[in-house]
Amino acid sequence: MKRISAFVIAAALTAPAFAASDLCDVNLQKLDDSSAVISTLGTPLKEQVEEHTKLAKEAKAAGNVKECGSHAEQALQMLKGPNGDTNTDAG
Protein backbone atom coordinates (compact mmCIF):
# COMPACT_ATOMS: atom_id res chain seq x y z
CA MET A 1 0.00 0.00 0.00
CA LYS A 2 2.90 2.36 0.70
CA ARG A 3 4.19 1.85 -2.86
CA ILE A 4 0.84 2.84 -4.33
CA SER A 5 0.71 5.95 -2.13
CA ALA A 6 4.24 6.92 -3.10
CA PHE A 7 3.40 6.47 -6.78
CA VAL A 8 0.25 8.59 -6.50
CA ILE A 9 2.13 11.34 -4.68
CA ALA A 10 4.96 11.30 -7.23
CA ALA A 11 2.49 11.48 -10.10
CA ALA A 12 0.65 14.39 -8.49
CA LEU A 13 3.89 16.32 -7.98
CA THR A 14 5.09 15.87 -11.56
CA ALA A 15 1.75 16.66 -13.23
CA PRO A 16 2.16 20.47 -13.00
CA ALA A 17 5.55 20.25 -14.73
CA PHE A 18 4.03 18.36 -17.64
CA ALA A 19 1.13 20.81 -17.82
CA ALA A 20 3.50 23.79 -17.93
CA SER A 21 5.54 22.14 -20.67
CA ASP A 22 2.42 21.42 -22.69
CA LEU A 23 1.19 25.01 -22.24
CA CYS A 24 4.53 26.35 -23.40
CA ASP A 25 4.59 24.14 -26.49
CA VAL A 26 0.94 24.73 -27.38
CA ASN A 27 1.21 28.50 -27.01
CA LEU A 28 4.42 28.65 -29.06
CA GLN A 29 2.71 26.62 -31.79
CA LYS A 30 -0.25 29.03 -31.75
CA LEU A 31 2.16 31.94 -32.14
CA ASP A 32 3.88 30.22 -35.05
CA ASP A 33 0.48 29.60 -36.63
CA SER A 34 -0.36 33.30 -36.18
CA SER A 35 2.70 34.59 -38.02
CA ALA A 36 0.53 36.01 -40.83
CA VAL A 37 -1.54 37.97 -38.31
CA ILE A 38 1.57 39.18 -36.49
CA SER A 39 2.97 40.58 -39.74
CA THR A 40 -0.11 42.82 -40.11
CA LEU A 41 0.14 44.38 -36.65
CA GLY A 42 1.08 48.00 -36.06
CA THR A 43 4.63 48.73 -34.96
CA PRO A 44 4.36 49.00 -31.16
CA LEU A 45 2.10 45.98 -30.78
CA LYS A 46 4.06 43.89 -33.28
CA GLU A 47 7.32 44.60 -31.43
CA GLN A 48 5.76 43.65 -28.09
CA VAL A 49 4.38 40.38 -29.45
CA GLU A 50 7.72 39.54 -31.07
CA GLU A 51 9.58 40.35 -27.82
CA HIS A 52 7.32 38.09 -25.73
CA THR A 53 7.68 35.34 -28.33
CA LYS A 54 11.47 35.69 -28.23
CA LEU A 55 11.48 35.60 -24.41
CA ALA A 56 9.23 32.54 -24.43
CA LYS A 57 11.57 30.68 -26.77
CA GLU A 58 14.61 31.68 -24.69
CA ALA A 59 12.90 30.52 -21.49
CA LYS A 60 12.01 27.19 -23.10
CA ALA A 61 15.61 26.72 -24.27
CA ALA A 62 16.77 27.44 -20.71
CA GLY A 63 14.34 24.83 -19.36
CA ASN A 64 12.01 27.33 -17.69
CA VAL A 65 8.69 26.13 -19.10
CA LYS A 66 6.63 28.17 -16.63
CA GLU A 67 8.19 31.43 -17.83
CA CYS A 68 7.89 30.22 -21.42
CA GLY A 69 4.17 29.62 -20.99
CA SER A 70 3.72 33.00 -19.33
CA HIS A 71 5.45 34.98 -22.10
CA ALA A 72 3.73 33.02 -24.85
CA GLU A 73 0.35 33.57 -23.18
CA GLN A 74 1.02 37.31 -22.95
CA ALA A 75 1.86 37.43 -26.65
CA LEU A 76 -1.34 35.55 -27.50
CA GLN A 77 -3.41 37.91 -25.35
CA MET A 78 -1.94 40.86 -27.23
CA LEU A 79 -2.94 39.22 -30.50
CA LYS A 80 -6.49 38.73 -29.26
CA GLY A 81 -6.92 42.38 -28.33
CA PRO A 82 -9.28 43.78 -25.71
CA ASN A 83 -12.45 42.29 -27.22
CA GLY A 84 -11.11 38.75 -27.55
CA ASP A 85 -10.97 39.10 -31.33
CA THR A 86 -7.77 38.72 -33.30
CA ASN A 87 -6.07 42.11 -33.22
CA THR A 88 -5.32 43.20 -36.79
CA ASP A 89 -5.06 46.92 -36.15
CA ALA A 90 -2.39 48.06 -38.58
CA GLY A 91 -2.13 51.51 -36.99
Side-chain angles (χ1 to χ4, degrees):
M1 192 62 148
K2 289 183 181 179
R3 287 185 192 189
I4 293 173
S5 297
F7 179 75
V8 170
I9 291 171
L13 293 175
T14 60
F18 289 125
S21 179
D22 289 346
L23 180 64
C24 172
D25 291 334
V26 167
N27 285 345
L28 283 175
Q29 183 60 51
K30 286 180 184 178
L31 287 168
D32 286 342
D33 293 345
S34 299
S35 61
V37 172
I38 293 170
S39 68
T40 65
L41 295 175
T43 301
L45 183 58
K46 180 179 179 179
E47 290 173 356
Q48 291 173 352
V49 170
E50 288 174 342
E51 180 67 16
H52 278 294
T53 302
K54 182 184 108 179
L55 291 171
K57 289 178 180 179
E58 289 174 355
K60 181 180 178 184
N64 190 343
V65 293
K66 186 175 181 179
E67 186 177 333
C68 169
S70 175
H71 282 293
E73 182 65 30
Q74 288 177 20
L76 288 170
Q77 288 300 320
M78 289 177 182
L79 286 177
K80 288 181 184 175
N83 298 328
D85 298 329
T86 301
N87 194 345
T88 56
D89 181 20

